[in-house]
Amino acid sequence: MITMPARKPRRAAAAAARGKPLLLDRDRIKRRLADEVFDVLVIGGGITGAYALLDAASRGLRAALVEKDDFASGTSSKSSKMVHGGLRYIEQGNVNLVRHSLLERHRFRKNAPHLVQRLPFLFPILEKEGVFDPRLAKGFEGLLWTYDLVGGWRIGKLHQRLTVPEVLGHAPTLRAEHLTGGLLYFDSRADDARLTLTIIRTAAALGATVLNGATVNRLITRNGRVGGAEAGADGETLTIRANAVVNATGVWSDSVDSMADDGHRPQVRPAKGVHIVVPWHKIRNDCTITVPIPGRARRATCTRWGDTVVLGTTDNDYQGSSDDVHCTREEMEFLLEGANTAFDTQLGPDDVVGSIGGLRPLVGGKEGATLDMRRDHHITIGAGGMVTVTGGKLTTSRHMGELVIDKVLTVLGRKGQVRSRTAHLPLLGGAGYDAEAVAATGGLAAHFGERYGTEARFVHDLISEDPTLADPVVAGLPYTRAEVVYAARCELARSVDDVLSRRTRARLFARDASAAAAPAVGALLGRELGLTDAQVEQQVSAYLADVRHERTVLFEGAAAA
C-alpha cells in the first residue's frame, strides 16, 4: 500500500485574502487531473461527495472530484432544502439520528451563516382532517420537547404553542373553521445547490482539484485494487490516477460499484420527492406550514421563498429513469389539492411557476413504504478497495464526509493518523459574515450577501468595472448579469442550464421567465468562455427543450412517476 506524509493544506481562500476571487480555470484543472497522482478521487459532485472532498483537502490529502453533469445536478439541487433534525425520526424511535442531525445543523449555521437561515415551522391543530387533532397534538408536543432538549435549543428558540389568532398571524389564509391552535418550532433552510457548490469551492481553495462535466467510463485497477478512473470531459479522455477512490454518486452508486465488482448486487432504493412553486400572494405565509394531503398518509410542506411558496412532499417509491426525474401532473394535482384544502385559496395548474423532482438514495429492502425506512448512511469498502457511501441526508453530509475519509485513510494504510477538521471549518464567504447586518441593508447588498457571504464584494467589483452588469438577467427575479459572469469565472458554470438551474434558481422560481432569459445568459457565457455562436445557440436550444419537456411532464402527464 502506498502511503504519503500529510502535507499542509493550502490556506482557505488564499486568493480571497489577497482581495482576489478564487478563479477556476477548466483547462488547467484538466491538466492537473491528467498529470498528478491523487491520494483520493471522489466520484460524484452532490452534497456527500462535496463534503468528502473538503474533509480530505482539509486533512492535507491530495484530493480530486469529478462529476458527470454539474455540481448538485442530481438530488442535491432537488431536496426539500431543509437543514433539520427530522421530527419524523423521533416518531420512528431514531433519537440518536435526531440528536446528531441537530448538532450538524448547528455546525452548518456557524460555518455557513450566509447560506443556512433559521426557519419557523408551524403545525396547525384542527378538530378534524388535520395533521393533528387536539388529542394527538398533546402527544406531539412531547416530541417537540424531546426535539428541543436533544439539540433543538441551539437554534436560540424553543417550540411554542399558539392560539388561533397567533396561527392566523403566520398564515392568514389558513382555513379557520376547524382550527383550535398550533405548534411552532424552529429549524433551518438552505439553497441546496449553492451550499453544495460552496463546499466544493472551499475544497478548491484548500488545493483540491474539481471538474464537472466529467463522466467516469471505467475504473482503473492495479493488482485487483481500484487505482483511479478514466473520464470523458469536453471530448477528451482523462486518465486520473489515485491511491483511493470514493463512490459518492447517490442513486447511481450501484452502476459505479458494478464497474469495480461484476458480481455487485444493487443496494439503493430510490425514493422520489416532488416540489412545485406558486406565487406567495396566493397563500401569504411567513413560515413553513405542514398540512395533510387528503386521502394520503403523508404531509406536505409549504415554505415561503421570496415572492413564492414551495409546496412539497417526499418519499414516494420510484421505478423510472434516474436521469429524467420530474414532478408529474398527478403529483402536482395532489399538492394543489392539499393546499386548496388547507388554505382559503384557489390554486390551479396555471399558478405553478416551477417544479422539481428528485431521488433520494435510500438503502434497504424492497418491501414496505419508503416513508418508514431509516435515513442512516452506509459506508463500505468493496473488494477492490473502493469506498462507497449511500443513504444519509443533507444535514448530516459533513459528518458523512468525515467518516468517508476515515475509511479512505484505512485504505491508504494511514488509519487514525490525521483527524477531520471540518466541524469548525467555515465555508467560503462564511467567516466574519453578519447575517443581521447584511439583511438590514436590503437591495442588492442583501441579495449578494445571502448568496456569497463575504465574497459578495467580488460580484460588486464586477459591477464597478461594468455598471451594466447590475441589470437583472431574469424578469421578476433579483439575479444580475454580474452573477452570470461570476459563475463562469469562479464557479465552473459551463452552460445556460448550469446558470439558470443551479448557480441561480431561476428555473425553479420562474420557469418561463428563465426560458426567456436563456439567450441573454448564453451571450454572456459565450463572451466569458470563448464559445462560438453555434455553441451558444446549441446551449440555448437545449435549455429551452429541457423546459418544454418539464412542462410536458407536469401539465400533460407524459412520464411515469
Side-chain angles (χ1 to χ4, degrees):
M1 181 65 61
I2 298 175
T3 61
M4 294 183 176
R7 62 186 183 117
K8 293 182 179 180
R10 301 177 188 182
R11 292 184 179 274
R18 298 192 300 271
K20 297 179 181 179
L22 174 68
L23 302 177
L24 296 176
D25 181 84
R26 194 168 180 82
D27 289 334
R28 185 177 300 133
I29 289 167
K30 286 187 289 187
R31 288 196 298 271
R32 286 185 63 183
L33 287 173
D35 294 345
E36 294 192 18
V37 178
F38 297 94
D39 294 321
V40 58
L41 168 66
V42 179
I43 304 173
I47 189 80
T48 305
Y51 244 127
L53 178 77
L54 178 55
D55 194 277
S58 66
R59 296 196 205 198
L61 299 179
R62 293 177 176 85
L65 179 147
V66 291
E67 159 60 40
K68 70 173 183 177
D69 189 353
D70 186 29
F71 308 124
S73 58
T75 306
S76 295
S77 61
K78 299 164 184 173
S79 74
S80 65
K81 296 165 183 54
M82 302 303 172
V83 181
H84 66 128
L87 274 173
R88 188 169 75 240
Y89 311 142
I90 291 183
E91 296 177 79
Q92 295 171 347
N94 199 347
V95 177
N96 286 336
L97 176 59
V98 175
R99 180 184 291 107
H100 182 66
S101 296
L102 289 171
L103 175 60
E104 291 300 323
R105 182 192 72 180
H106 176 66
R107 287 168 171 163
F108 260 128
R109 284 175 49 78
K110 289 188 66 176
N111 294 335
H114 55 312
L115 298 175
V116 183
Q117 298 101 24
R118 186 169 64 191
L119 183 69
F121 279 68
L122 172 63
F123 282 97
I125 303 172
L126 304 177
E127 290 178 333
K128 60 180 181 179
E129 297 179 349
V131 175
F132 302 112
D133 60 26
R135 178 181 57 84
L136 292 175
K138 186 175 181 179
F140 188 73
E141 189 168 14
L143 295 181
L144 289 175
W145 276 117
T146 302
Y147 198 74
D148 287 340
L149 290 172
V150 301
W153 59 269
R154 290 191 180 95
I155 208 164
K157 288 181 176 288
L158 301 179
H159 79 272
Q160 306 167 18
R161 181 179 277 269
L162 304 182
T163 64
V164 170
E166 288 171 332
V167 170
L168 295 177
H170 288 288
T173 62
L174 198 65
R175 295 189 187 275
E177 52 265 34
H178 301 299
L179 186 64
T180 65
L183 292 167
L184 188 76
Y185 76 104
F186 296 87
D187 256 319
S188 299
R189 72 167 193 186
D191 179 341
D192 48 3
R194 180 144 292 277
L195 181 61
T196 303
L197 176 66
T198 304
I199 295 166
I200 287 172
R201 292 187 69 251
T202 306
L206 288 169
T209 304
V210 299
L211 188 66
N212 52 353
T215 302
V216 169
N217 298 313
R218 71 179 186 90
L219 298 176
I220 299 169
T221 58
R222 297 192 302 266
N223 301 320
R225 307 290 292 179
V226 177
E230 186 179 276
D234 307 331
E236 304 174 38
T237 299
L238 303 174
T239 300
I240 308 167
R241 294 165 293 167
N243 296 317
V245 175
V246 172
N247 175 8
T249 56
V251 294
W252 295 272
S253 62
D254 282 325
S255 63
V256 177
D257 277 342
S258 296
M259 294 182 187
D261 179 4
D262 292 338
H264 173 74
R265 289 185 171 185
Q267 302 293 317
V268 174
R269 182 180 175 186
K272 184 181 182 184
V274 294
H275 295 79
I276 60 174
V277 180
V278 299
W280 175 79
H281 68 83
K282 291 278 188 170
I283 294 179
R284 307 206 309 275
N285 55 314
D286 68 358
C287 61
T288 291
I289 303 173
T290 301
V291 298
I293 297 176
R296 297 174 183 262
R298 59 181 67 243
R299 309 159 187 165
T301 56
C302 310
T303 301
R304 181 176 184 178
W305 206 294
D307 292 330
T308 63
V309 173
V310 180
L311 309 176
T313 189
T314 59
D315 295 324
N316 283 304
D317 230 338
Y318 182 78
Q319 302 295 331
S321 168
S322 299
D323 295 314
D324 186 22
V325 185
H326 297 280
C327 182
T328 66
R329 183 176 185 89
E330 179 185 10
E331 291 162 337
M332 172 185 69
E333 288 174 346
F334 77 64
L335 286 170
L336 291 175
E337 181 185 3
N340 286 330
T341 300
F343 300 96
D344 186 12
T345 189
Q346 290 297 318
L347 288 167
D350 290 344
D351 294 309
V352 178
V353 299
S355 64
I356 51 173
L359 300 179
R360 192 172 194 169
L362 301 183
V363 180
K366 301 297 182 182
E367 302 299 326
T370 56
L371 186 66
D372 299 324
M373 293 178 65
R374 294 171 72 90
R375 269 41 182 178
D376 305 86
H377 53 263
H378 294 254
I379 303 172
T380 59
I381 300 177
M386 183 167 68
V387 178
T388 296
V389 53
T390 49
K393 60 198 191 90
L394 182 150
T395 309
T396 58
S397 57
R398 187 214 63 82
H399 186 236
M400 290 164 63
E402 175 184 336
L403 296 179
V404 165
I405 301 307
D406 284 345
K407 293 287 189 184
V408 166
L409 290 175
T410 297
V411 171
L412 295 176
R414 295 171 53 187
K415 182 178 179 180
Q417 290 185 14
V418 190
R419 298 184 63 180
S420 174
R421 299 184 172 108
T422 55
H424 306 290
L425 178 66
L427 301 185
L428 283 184
Y433 180 77
D434 186 334
E436 291 185 2
V438 171
T441 61
L444 271 186
H447 167 69
F448 288 161
E450 291 178 0
R451 285 170 51 73
Y452 306 100
T454 57
E455 289 203 313
R457 66 188 187 275
F458 300 134
V459 187
H460 283 293
D461 287 346
L462 294 174
I463 294 173
S464 297
E465 296 168 6
D466 180 357
T468 66
L469 294 180
D471 294 340
V473 72
V474 180
L477 295 178
Y479 306 118
T480 63
R481 290 165 53 88
E483 291 169 88
V484 180
V485 173
Y486 186 81
R489 294 180 184 179
C490 302
E491 298 177 343
L492 281 178
R494 309 155 299 147
S495 69
V496 170
D497 184 55
D498 287 352
V499 170
L500 291 174
S501 292
R502 288 169 296 279
R503 301 303 182 280
T504 70
R505 304 315 299 270
R507 181 169 172 175
L508 175 60
F509 295 123
R511 176 195 55 240
D512 296 341
S514 79
V521 171
L524 285 168
L525 288 178
R527 185 181 69 187
E528 289 298 319
L529 302 178
L531 304 177
T532 66
D533 290 345
Q535 288 173 318
V536 170
E537 183 178 353
Q538 189 278 329
Q539 285 198 14
V540 172
S541 297
Y543 184 77
L544 297 179
D546 283 348
V547 170
R548 285 194 299 271
H549 177 58
E550 178 183 314
R551 288 181 57 92
T552 299
V553 174
L554 186 66
F555 296 117
E556 299 178 19

